[in-house]
Every structure is written in structure tokens, then in C-alpha cells.
């Protein structure tokens, strides 16, 4: 087993002499997220990163000089854990230090709304497995919103109410001499199928672990989902777990139950973890999970700002956008032209805003040395279009200095721009201490936001 450890948004050199490892890396070199997602990788947040998946220029890794011993691997905003045959690759957040995954773990627990229940100080812990379990409630609830998965299944009966094809071998075996019953098979449209059985086995597997079972009881929606799944899988048997896993190795291609395919993959990762770890050992078989750092940071900040009545347009889904151009009532033709122009090309999507008060932009990158020109132009455009005189950037910072800058005044129509760095702890001994320091940073950020709301 060959292990490669990387950080996101970084260049890192390796001396790779093993030809097998080179071939494995070459199989994902310059591959888009969409291509790798189709091969079995899970991307989270899945719905929020749909446009990123469709972007052929968005790679997990870009490799230079792969044929030499001085290989350079470039990474983007993508973090995660995945395997290619016997090669295991781990991409960590550059805001985490050493082997700790506290920052990624903390953001994920907030976005998925799960209380931290896994001890992270164990040197032998497996972050991949932890994150799979943490994602399960979110993936399950998304799938259940589409309804309980139904499909045709074959049932065997032996009674007097024949309503299918007679199974003569079984009938002769069980009902001779004749006892008034007929053995037969029939096709039924049922919830109690291999897919729902896989979900049920995953639920029972997690519930058997004292440190993980709390995840299954967080929120009424989760409890209702568990009750529904347990209620519809009457044929569940713990001894059939291996059989059910083998029956769920093919992807789900149903055009309506789209959320059940990522759930199926996640269930298989959880149930087969102890046997195959990151993935199967088949050559170039890709398996694992990826996290979009920018999307995860944005969704994490949303959990903080949502209680204060901020709005969160979805740029990737093109929903909640705001018109950049005003309608012109003087000419119907001109109005229609601007309608089409605005509808298709000219809507703005600030990350977060509160009308007549704040526009905030989430940036998953270092801004200690200043904000880029394009980012400044963008926030100034948002402020002008929406007639809001306070804008700001929120970014993670691992600097030892105070990252919260003073507001910068804009010329022209006026207004102020704040550059707000949330300091990420780098010297905490355990996850509990890290969480406490993060809560302090969150309170400082919210204090700034609330004070400006009152101003």
C-alpha cells in the first residue's frame, strides 16, 4: 500500500519510482470532478458543487513530470480521501496542521448538523471513516425527501391465493401430497428491496457502535426517516448483510430517485470499511470521498449567519439571483431586450446579504496580504446594485496576528468594506480545545455583524 499525503491549494514534490504508483496517478491526472464522480467518488456538498462538477477545467490534482523521479503534484480547493487500487491519497486542508483534521472535521460537523461524537486524539483513527459516518444523516435525509425508494422485486409465496407464476419444483417439494397450497412467484412494486435493505443495514451497523449511534438521533427529520426505513424493511436480517452488499454493487440509474445513488455509495463505504478501507484493491478502482473547500466554507458560514435573517443565493444552482439592470418601461422592445439580457447573463449572486445592511462574501483563501482586484470589483458592484453601503469578506486565517482589519471607505457613493479573518487554531492538543477556540472566533465574527446591523 502506497500513501500520498497532500494539502489543498499547494505544490508538492515527490520521488516516485514505482511504476504502479505512476500509472495510478496518471489515471486521475487532469481528470475533472465530473469524470471521477462517475467512477465512484462522492463529492460533498454534492448539490452545491454541481456546476463545479461540470467544469472540465476543475481538477483534483495536476501532475508535472510524472515520468521522472521529481514529480510535482498541484492541488486545488478539493480535499478528501480516496484510493486508486493500492494507492491511497489524502488531501487535507491547508488550514489544518500536521496530521490533524480538526478544521475540516469541525466544518463538516456544523454543515451536517451533527454533534461531534468521535474521539479524534487516537493516533490510529481513520478520518475517512469518520467523515463517511458524519455524512450519512445528510445523505439519508436528502434521499428520503424524494420518497422511500420503490422498485419491482420477486417474491415467493406458498398459499391458496395464487397470483403469479407457479414454481413447480418448489410446489412438488413442499405441497405433495396436496395440502391446498400452491407455490408461486410474483413481481411486486415494493419498498422492501435491496436498496432500502442496504440503508437499513447501515443504520443498524451505526447503531451498534456506542460512540456513533448519537448521530442517528439528531433532529426530528432524522428520527422520522429511521422510523420509515425500519418500518418498510420487514425482511431485514443481520445475517444477510454480505448478500445485501453484493446485491448493491451496481449504480442506481432511476431518473427520479437521484439522491439514492450517492447514498448507496456512502452506505457501501461504511459497511465495507473494515474489509477494504478506502476502496477495493482492484487495479485503478477509484473509491473515496471529496470535499469542495470553497463550498464547505460557504455552507459553514451559512450556519452562523442564517439565524440573523441573512439570505444565501445559490450561484451554482442559479437560484436567488438579483437583477443587475433595472427595467425600462419606456419601450416594450427595450424592456424585453433587457429582460432576456438580465435573465440569461446579468444576475448577481452574493454569498450572503441582508437587505439595506450587509453583503458578505465567503473566501476560502488567504487574504492577509490584501484582497484581489477582481474580488474588490465584485463586492463593490454588489453594493452599488443592491444599494447597500456595507460589504465584507470572510476568510479562514492561520496567522498569529489579529486578522480582523479596519473597514475601508469607498470613494464615490461611499460605503465601507470589511476584511474579516476567522483565525483557525493551530496549536490545540485535542478537538474539544479546537472547538472551543473556534466558537470564540465565531462569536467575534457575529459580534461584528450584529454591531453593524444595529449601526
Amino acid at each position: 500500500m502506497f500513501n500520498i499525503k497532500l494539502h489543498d491549494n499547494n505544490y508538492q514534490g515527490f520521488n516516485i519510482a514505482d511504476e504502479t504508483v505512476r500509472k495510478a496517478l496518471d489515471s486521475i491526472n487532469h481528470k475533472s470532478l465530473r469524470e471521477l464522480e462517475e467512477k465512484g467518488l462522492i463529492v460533498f456538498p454534492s448539490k452545491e458543487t454541481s456546476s463545479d462538477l461540470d467544469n472540465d477545467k476543475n481538477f483534483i490534482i495536476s501532475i508535472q513530470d510524472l515520468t521522472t523521479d521529481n514529480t510535482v503534484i498541484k492541488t486545488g480547493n478539493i480535499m478528501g480521501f480516496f484510493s486508486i487500487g493500492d494507492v491511497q491519497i489524502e488531501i487535507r486542508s491547508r488550514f489544518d496542521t500536521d496530521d490533524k483534521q480538526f478544521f475540516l472535521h469541525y466544518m463538516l460537523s456544523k454543515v451536517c448538523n451533527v454533534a461531534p461524537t468521535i474521539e479524534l486524539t487516537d493516533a490510529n483513527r481513520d478520518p475517512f471513516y469518520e467523515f463517511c459516518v458524519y455524512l450519512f444523516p445528510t445523505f439519508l435525509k436528502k434521499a428520503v425527501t424524494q420518497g422511500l425508494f420503490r422498485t419491482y422485486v420477486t417474491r415467493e409465496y406458498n398459499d391458496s391465493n395464487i397470483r403469479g407464476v407457479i414454481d413447480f419444483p418448489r410446489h412438488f417439494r413442499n405441497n405433495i401430497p396436496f395440502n391446498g397450497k400452491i407455490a408461486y412467484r410474483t413481481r411486486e412494486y415494493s419498498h422492501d428491496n435491496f436498496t432500502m435493505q442496504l440503508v437499513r443495514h447501515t443504520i443498524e451497523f451505526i447503531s451498534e457502535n456506542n460512540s456513533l449511534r448519537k448521530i442517528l438521533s439528531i433532529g426530528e427529520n432524522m428520527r422520522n426517516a429511521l422510523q420509515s426505513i425500519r418500518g418498510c424493511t420487514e425482511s431485514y436480517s443481520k445475517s444477510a448483510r454480505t448478500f445485501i452488499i453484493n446485491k448493491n454493487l451496481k449504480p442506481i440509474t432511476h431518473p427520479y430517485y437521484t439522491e439514492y445513488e450517492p447514498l448507496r455509495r456512502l452506505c457501501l463505504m461504511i459497511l465495507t470499511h473494515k474489509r477494504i478501507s478506502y476502496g477495493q484493491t482492484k487495479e485503478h478502482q477509484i473509491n473515496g470521498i471529496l470535499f469542495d473547500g470553497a463550498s464547505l466554507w460557504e455552507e459553514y458560514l451559512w450556519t452562523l449567519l442564517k439565524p440573523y435573517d441573512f439570505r444565501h443565493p445559490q450561484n451554482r444552482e442559479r437560484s436567488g439571483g438579483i437583477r443587475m439592470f433595472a427595467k425600462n418601461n419606456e419601450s416594450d422592445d427595450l424592456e424585453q431586450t433587457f429582460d432576456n439580457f438580465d435573465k440569461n447573463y446579468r444576475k448577481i449572486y452574493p454569498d450572503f446579504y441582508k437587505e439595506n445592511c450587509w453583503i458578505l462574501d465567503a473566501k476560502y483563501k488567504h487574504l492577509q496580504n490584501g484582497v484581489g482586484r477582481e474580488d474588490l470589483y465584485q463586492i463593490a458592484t454588489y453594493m452599488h446594485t443592491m444599494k447597500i453601503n456595507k460589504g465584507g469578506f470572510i476568510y479562514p486565517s492561520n496567522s498569529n496576528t489579529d486578522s480582523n482589519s479596519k473597514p475601508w471607505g469607498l470613494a464615490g457613493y461611499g460605503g465601507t468594506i470589511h476584511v474579516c479573518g476567522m483565525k483557525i487554531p493551530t496549536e490545540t492538543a485535542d478537538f474539544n480545545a479546537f472547538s472551543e477556540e473556534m466558537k470564540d472566533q465565531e462569536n467575534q465574527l457575529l459580534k461584528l455583524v450584529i454591531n453593524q446591523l444595529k449601526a
Side-chain angles (χ1 to χ4, degrees):
M1 188 67 67
F2 192 88
N3 297 296
I4 298 177
K5 295 184 178 181
L6 306 166
H7 285 90
D8 64 352
N9 280 276
N10 204 354
Y11 289 88
Q12 195 164 346
F14 291 89
N15 185 350
I16 300 176
D18 192 307
E19 186 64 24
T20 302
V21 177
R22 288 181 177 177
K23 289 182 179 180
L25 291 175
D26 189 49
S27 68
I28 62 171
N29 184 24
H30 281 87
K31 291 292 190 298
S32 68
L33 290 179
R34 173 62 67 188
E35 292 176 285
L36 295 179
E37 193 260 354
E38 292 175 351
K39 291 185 177 182
L41 285 173
I42 293 178
V43 179
F44 184 84
S46 56
K47 187 176 182 180
E48 291 79 358
T49 58
S50 57
S51 66
D52 293 333
L53 288 173
D54 293 329
N55 184 358
D56 291 335
K57 296 181 180 180
N58 197 341
F59 309 120
I60 296 178
I61 61 174
S62 175
I63 306 175
Q64 302 174 8
D65 301 324
L66 183 58
T67 59
T68 70
D69 292 341
N70 298 318
T71 299
V72 177
I73 300 179
K74 177 185 177 183
T75 57
N77 272 342
I78 305 301
M79 301 169 282
F81 312 84
F82 59 99
S83 69
I84 313 159
D86 289 330
V87 179
Q88 293 185 352
I89 300 176
E90 179 179 343
I91 306 177
R92 310 167 185 169
S93 170
R94 64 192 185 278
F95 297 100
D96 274 320
T97 58
D98 301 325
D99 290 333
K100 299 175 182 178
Q101 297 278 0
F102 292 167
F103 181 48
L104 175 57
H105 189 281
Y106 185 81
M107 284 197 297
L108 193 61
S109 66
K110 295 282 286 188
V111 171
C112 295
N113 191 29
V114 295
T117 60
I118 302 172
E119 181 57 54
L120 297 182
T121 57
D122 184 0
N124 296 320
R125 68 184 180 87
D126 189 343
F128 169 78
Y129 181 63
E130 295 167 3
F131 293 142
C132 284
V133 176
Y134 268 55
L135 291 178
F136 179 72
T138 299
F139 278 59
L140 176 62
K141 287 184 287 187
K142 281 186 176 181
V144 171
T145 57
Q146 295 183 331
L148 298 179
F149 186 86
R150 297 178 67 188
T151 188
Y152 283 100
V153 295
T154 300
R155 303 289 191 205
E156 293 184 346
Y157 294 96
N158 188 36
D159 54 39
S160 59
N161 300 318
I162 182 171
R163 57 184 187 278
V165 179
I166 298 176
D167 186 345
F168 286 101
R170 187 162 56 90
H171 175 71
F172 292 146
R173 185 170 61 251
N174 298 334
N175 301 320
I176 300 298
F178 185 65
N179 57 7
K181 298 180 180 179
I182 302 294
Y184 61 93
R185 297 189 304 270
T186 184
R187 295 273 289 173
E188 297 177 353
Y189 199 51
S190 173
H191 292 123
D192 195 357
N193 51 63
F194 293 138
T195 298
M196 296 305 292
Q197 285 286 338
L198 180 70
V199 178
R200 173 71 183 275
H201 278 277
T202 307
I203 291 171
E204 303 305 334
F205 177 79
I206 294 175
S207 65
E208 293 167 2
N209 190 309
N210 292 332
S211 64
L212 301 179
R213 64 176 60 176
K214 294 179 182 178
I215 289 176
L216 300 177
S217 60
I218 299 177
E220 184 177 356
N221 290 340
M222 185 63 186
R223 291 190 290 270
N224 291 339
L226 296 184
Q227 184 178 1
S228 298
I229 292 169
R230 282 172 169 157
C232 75
T233 51
E234 297 177 353
S235 63
Y236 167 79
S237 173
K238 182 178 179 180
S239 61
R241 184 163 296 170
T242 301
F243 172 79
I244 293 298
I245 290 173
N246 291 332
K247 287 294 185 179
N248 282 278
L249 298 180
K250 293 183 179 180
I252 298 173
T253 57
H254 198 287
Y256 177 73
Y257 295 109
T258 54
E259 294 294 347
Y260 277 88
E261 171 55 17
L263 177 61
R264 179 194 69 89
R265 295 178 184 176
L266 188 66
C267 289
L268 289 176
M269 290 180 186
I270 294 173
L271 292 176
T272 61
H273 167 73
K274 294 187 180 298
R275 178 164 54 88
I276 62 175
S277 188
Y278 288 90
Q280 299 174 356
T281 57
K282 183 180 178 181
E283 184 179 8
H284 296 169
Q285 173 72 37
I286 301 177
N287 199 4
I289 187 165
L290 300 174
F291 303 95
D292 182 340
S295 294
L296 194 57
W297 173 246
E298 183 178 319
E299 295 307 309
Y300 158 66
L301 292 177
W302 176 230
T303 65
L304 304 179
L305 298 172
K306 187 176 181 179
Y308 297 94
D309 297 325
F310 275 80
R311 297 187 181 182
H312 182 31
Q314 296 293 333
N315 182 24
R316 294 174 175 84
E317 300 175 33
R318 289 293 186 262
S319 65
I322 299 166
R323 298 175 63 96
M324 187 173 179
F325 292 95
K327 291 185 177 181
N328 190 322
N329 295 323
E330 296 179 359
S331 169
D332 292 338
D333 293 337
L334 183 61
E335 181 178 355
Q336 184 176 1
T337 300
F338 269 93
D339 277 345
N340 294 332
F341 183 65
D342 185 27
K343 178 180 179 181
N344 296 322
Y345 302 106
R346 293 297 180 262
K347 284 192 175 182
I348 59 174
Y349 297 86
D351 290 339
F352 314 104
Y353 73 92
K354 187 174 178 65
E355 291 184 357
N356 303 319
C357 185
W358 260 116
I359 293 178
L360 295 171
D361 202 17
K363 295 297 180 184
Y364 182 73
K365 57 185 177 181
H366 294 288
L367 295 181
Q368 285 96 329
N369 297 324
V371 182
R373 180 177 62 179
E374 296 301 322
D375 292 334
L376 286 173
Y377 289 171
Q378 182 184 58
I379 197 75
T381 301
Y382 291 167
M383 294 168 65
H384 176 86
T385 301
M386 300 177 68
K387 297 181 180 180
I388 295 178
N389 63 3
K390 286 189 288 291
F393 301 96
I394 307 176
Y395 70 99
S397 170
N398 51 16
S399 172
N400 292 326
T401 59
D402 185 7
S403 303
N404 293 324
S405 72
K406 63 181 180 181
W408 296 88
L410 284 171
Y413 287 105
T416 56
I417 295 179
H418 302 252
V419 183
C420 311
M422 182 179 289
K423 185 177 178 181
I424 310 303
T426 57
E427 298 180 356
T428 52
D430 55 54
F431 184 70
N432 290 333
F434 180 91
S435 299
E436 291 302 317
E437 291 194 31
M438 282 297 296
K439 290 176 182 177
D440 290 339
Q441 291 296 315
E442 292 170 358
N443 290 334
Q444 292 183 30
L445 173 66
L446 294 176
K447 183 178 179 180
L448 169 66
V449 172
I450 294 172
N451 286 342
Q452 291 296 325
L453 290 176
K454 296 177 180 179

